[in-house]
Coordinates of all heavy atoms in Angstrom, one line a residue:
G248 N 32.7 74.1 -70.9 CA 32.3 72.8 -71.3 C 30.8 72.5 -71.3 O 30.4 71.4 -71.8
A249 N 30.0 73.4 -70.7 CA 28.5 73.1 -70.6 C 27.9 73.3 -72.0 O 28.3 74.1 -72.8 CB 27.9 74.0 -69.6
H250 N 26.7 72.6 -72.1 CA 25.8 73.0 -73.2 C 24.8 74.0 -72.6 O 24.2 73.7 -71.6 CB 25.0 71.8 -73.7 CG 23.9 72.2 -74.7 ND1 24.2 72.6 -76.0 CD2 22.6 72.3 -74.5 CE1 23.1 72.9 -76.6 NE2 22.1 72.8 -75.7
V251 N 24.8 75.2 -73.1 CA 24.0 76.3 -72.5 C 22.8 76.6 -73.4 O 22.9 76.8 -74.6 CB 24.8 77.6 -72.4 CG1 24.0 78.6 -71.7 CG2 26.1 77.3 -71.5
V252 N 21.6 76.6 -72.7 CA 20.4 77.0 -73.3 C 20.2 78.5 -73.0 O 20.0 78.9 -71.9 CB 19.2 76.2 -72.8 CG1 17.9 76.7 -73.5 CG2 19.4 74.7 -73.2
A253 N 20.4 79.3 -74.1 CA 20.4 80.8 -74.0 C 19.0 81.3 -74.2 O 18.5 81.3 -75.3 CB 21.4 81.3 -74.9
V254 N 18.4 81.8 -73.1 CA 17.0 82.2 -73.1 C 16.9 83.7 -73.1 O 17.5 84.4 -72.2 CB 16.2 81.6 -71.9 CG1 14.7 82.1 -71.9 CG2 16.3 80.1 -72.0
D255 N 16.0 84.3 -73.9 CA 15.8 85.8 -73.8 C 14.5 86.1 -74.6 O 14.0 85.3 -75.4 CB 17.0 86.5 -74.5 CG 17.1 88.0 -74.0 OD1 16.2 88.8 -74.2 OD2 18.1 88.2 -73.3
L256 N 13.9 87.2 -74.2 CA 12.7 87.7 -74.9 C 13.1 88.0 -76.4 O 12.3 87.8 -77.3 CB 12.3 89.0 -74.3 CG 11.5 89.1 -73.1 CD1 11.2 90.5 -72.7 CD2 10.1 88.4 -73.4
R257 N 14.3 88.4 -76.6 CA 14.8 88.7 -78.0 C 15.8 87.6 -78.4 O 16.1 86.8 -77.6 CB 15.3 90.1 -78.1 CG 16.4 90.4 -77.0 CD 16.7 91.9 -77.0 NE 17.4 92.3 -75.8 CZ 18.5 93.1 -75.8 NH1 19.0 93.5 -77.0 NH2 19.1 93.4 -74.7
S258 N 16.2 87.8 -79.6 CA 17.1 86.7 -80.2 C 18.5 86.7 -79.5 O 19.1 87.7 -79.3 CB 17.3 86.9 -81.7 OG 18.3 86.1 -82.1
S259 N 18.9 85.5 -79.1 CA 20.3 85.3 -78.5 C 21.2 84.7 -79.6 O 22.2 84.1 -79.2 CB 20.2 84.4 -77.3 OG 19.4 84.9 -76.3
T260 N 20.9 84.9 -80.9 CA 21.6 84.3 -81.9 C 23.1 84.8 -81.9 O 24.0 84.0 -82.0 CB 21.1 84.7 -83.3 OG1 19.7 84.2 -83.3 CG2 21.8 84.0 -84.4
E261 N 23.3 86.1 -81.6 CA 24.7 86.6 -81.5 C 25.5 85.9 -80.4 O 26.7 85.6 -80.6 CB 24.7 88.1 -81.3 CG 24.6 88.9 -82.6 CD 24.6 90.4 -82.2 OE1 25.3 90.8 -81.3 OE2 24.0 91.2 -83.0
T262 N 24.8 85.7 -79.3 CA 25.5 85.0 -78.2 C 25.9 83.6 -78.6 O 27.0 83.2 -78.3 CB 24.6 85.0 -77.0 OG1 24.2 86.3 -76.7 CG2 25.2 84.3 -75.8
V263 N 24.9 82.9 -79.2 CA 25.2 81.5 -79.6 C 26.2 81.4 -80.7 O 27.1 80.5 -80.6 CB 23.9 80.9 -80.0 CG1 24.1 79.5 -80.7 CG2 22.9 80.7 -78.8
D264 N 26.2 82.4 -81.6 CA 27.3 82.4 -82.6 C 28.6 82.6 -82.0 O 29.6 81.9 -82.4 CB 27.0 83.5 -83.6 CG 25.8 83.2 -84.6 OD1 25.4 82.0 -84.6 OD2 25.4 84.1 -85.3
A265 N 28.7 83.4 -81.0 CA 30.0 83.7 -80.3 C 30.5 82.4 -79.6 O 31.7 82.1 -79.6 CB 29.9 84.9 -79.4
V266 N 29.5 81.7 -78.9 CA 29.9 80.4 -78.3 C 30.4 79.4 -79.3 O 31.5 78.8 -79.0 CB 28.6 79.8 -77.5 CG1 28.9 78.4 -77.2 CG2 28.2 80.7 -76.4
R267 N 29.7 79.3 -80.3 CA 30.1 78.3 -81.4 C 31.5 78.7 -82.0 O 32.3 77.8 -82.2 CB 29.0 78.1 -82.4 CG 27.8 77.4 -81.8 CD 26.7 77.2 -82.8 NE 25.5 76.6 -82.1 CZ 24.3 76.7 -82.6 NH1 24.0 77.4 -83.7 NH2 23.3 76.1 -81.9
A268 N 31.7 80.0 -82.2 CA 33.0 80.4 -82.8 C 34.1 80.1 -81.8 O 35.2 79.9 -82.3 CB 32.9 81.9 -83.1
A269 N 33.8 80.0 -80.6 CA 34.8 79.7 -79.6 C 34.9 78.2 -79.3 O 35.7 77.8 -78.4 CB 34.5 80.5 -78.2
G270 N 34.2 77.4 -80.1 CA 34.2 76.0 -80.0 C 33.3 75.4 -78.9 O 33.4 74.2 -78.6
G271 N 32.4 76.2 -78.4 CA 31.4 75.7 -77.4 C 30.1 75.3 -78.0 O 29.9 75.3 -79.2
S272 N 29.2 74.9 -77.1 CA 27.9 74.4 -77.5 C 26.8 75.2 -76.8 O 26.7 75.4 -75.6 CB 27.8 72.9 -77.1 OG 26.5 72.5 -77.3
A273 N 25.9 75.7 -77.6 CA 24.7 76.5 -77.0 C 23.6 76.5 -78.0 O 23.8 76.3 -79.2 CB 25.1 78.0 -76.7
E274 N 22.4 76.8 -77.5 CA 21.2 76.9 -78.4 C 20.4 78.1 -77.8 O 20.4 78.4 -76.6 CB 20.3 75.7 -78.4 CG 19.7 75.3 -77.2 CD 19.0 74.0 -77.2 OE1 18.0 73.9 -77.9 OE2 19.5 73.0 -76.5
A275 N 19.8 78.9 -78.8 CA 19.0 80.0 -78.4 C 17.5 79.7 -78.3 O 17.0 79.0 -79.3 CB 19.2 81.1 -79.3

Side-chain angles (χ1 to χ4, degrees):
H250 173 72
V251 182
V252 177
V254 176
D255 205 292
L256 277 177
R257 48 192 168 133
S258 167
S259 299
T260 305
E261 275 184 30
T262 302
V263 167
D264 286 350
V266 166
R267 290 180 182 158
S272 171
E274 66 188 287

